[in-house]
Amino acid sequence: MAERRDPSGERQLNAVRERLRSLYLGTSRKAVRFQITMAIIDVAIIAFFLAGPYFGGGRIYLIVDYAIAVVIAFELGARALIASNLRRWLTRPMTWVDTAILATLLFPATFSNFAFLRAFRVWSLGQSKVFALLIKRAGYGEWEEVIRACINFLTFLFLVTGFVYTVFFYHQAGVEGFVDALYFTVATITTTGFGDITLPGTLGKLTSIVTMIFGISFFVRLAQAIVRPHKVVFPCPQCGLQRHDADAVHCKACGHVLNIPDEGS
């Protein structure tokens, strides 16, 4: 005999799913506040990672550590619940990143502290439509590309610094280890190469190579976004040119008449 489903339980589950979906994916005032709160939590987790050496693995450290683990576990469950395709969600890189972070928080004595990977969440927020909406509401719409380039560069800077700190300098007391990691990362990205701080072994050389290749790319991209005149992304229906002046009437490539949306400011 086939098992009968509980319609009331299924309705409650669907209601919870829709509620979570509106908070995580919506653009309402309540949804924006919720997403900003989650971003603040991400920043707080990063701050906890930086302050980790001061706690020394004591009781306070473990309490905060497991509290963060509960938050991440709840968020993973919520995102799994609102996913339209669970299999596709399981293959997303951010899902694996959060799962790895959860493992390091649940077993702090076994795994290294990789909480710096939460910087990916700040990057993800910077690429969202809600972030663009907030920038436009604040009156900085023309600086959107520059702000995104800054977020991309700072995210990469922090990820590399966090990795170098965790793998090579975490044993140092206080902030000296993190400052050394940051100093090495900035010197490598800018190709200054003072050579007073180097990473030992094959892993250190590979880390330096990856940092130089990707770091200079993000750095140049940021410089271009700052120096280049402001343009809007509006594909020309005739030739496909993507970027135009905000007040452009005709496409510079083919002369086609454009109709770029303007808020009138």
Side-chain angles (χ1 to χ4, degrees), residues 72-222:
I72 296 179
F74 170 79
E75 189 175 6
L76 275 173
R79 291 190 177 275
L81 193 61
I82 66 176
S84 56
N85 189 317
L86 185 59
R87 181 176 297 180
R88 183 180 302 173
W89 177 80
L90 289 173
T91 59
R92 292 178 65 248
M94 283 306 306
T95 303
W96 287 95
V97 169
D98 282 342
T99 303
I101 296 171
L102 182 60
T104 62
L105 292 171
L106 291 176
F107 306 99
T110 305
F111 299 101
S112 299
N113 190 346
F114 284 96
F116 65 88
L117 293 175
R118 289 295 283 185
F120 274 118
R121 299 310 304 271
V122 179
W123 172 84
S124 179
L125 177 65
Q127 306 304 312
S128 65
K129 295 180 180 179
V130 174
F131 182 76
L133 181 63
L134 289 174
I135 293 178
K136 291 180 180 179
R137 287 181 179 178
Y140 298 101
E142 63 181 20
W143 294 95
E144 179 180 348
E145 185 177 0
V146 176
I147 295 174
R148 290 185 187 275
C150 288
I151 291 177
N152 293 341
F153 178 75
L154 292 176
T155 299
F156 178 79
L157 178 66
F158 185 82
L159 284 173
V160 175
T161 302
F163 176 79
V164 172
Y165 172 58
T166 299
V167 176
F168 298 97
F169 297 103
Y170 195 72
H171 62 280
Q172 297 185 17
V175 298
E176 182 180 355
F178 187 81
V179 171
D180 285 346
L182 179 61
Y183 174 79
F184 165 81
T185 304
V186 173
T188 305
I189 288 178
T190 57
T191 66
T192 304
F194 292 114
D196 50 347
I197 296 180
T198 57
L199 303 183
T202 303
L203 179 60
K205 293 178 180 178
L206 292 175
T207 302
S208 302
I209 292 172
V210 172
T211 303
M212 285 185 284
I213 293 176
F214 287 96
I216 193 63
S217 301
F218 283 109
F219 188 76
V220 171
R221 175 64 176 171
L222 175 59

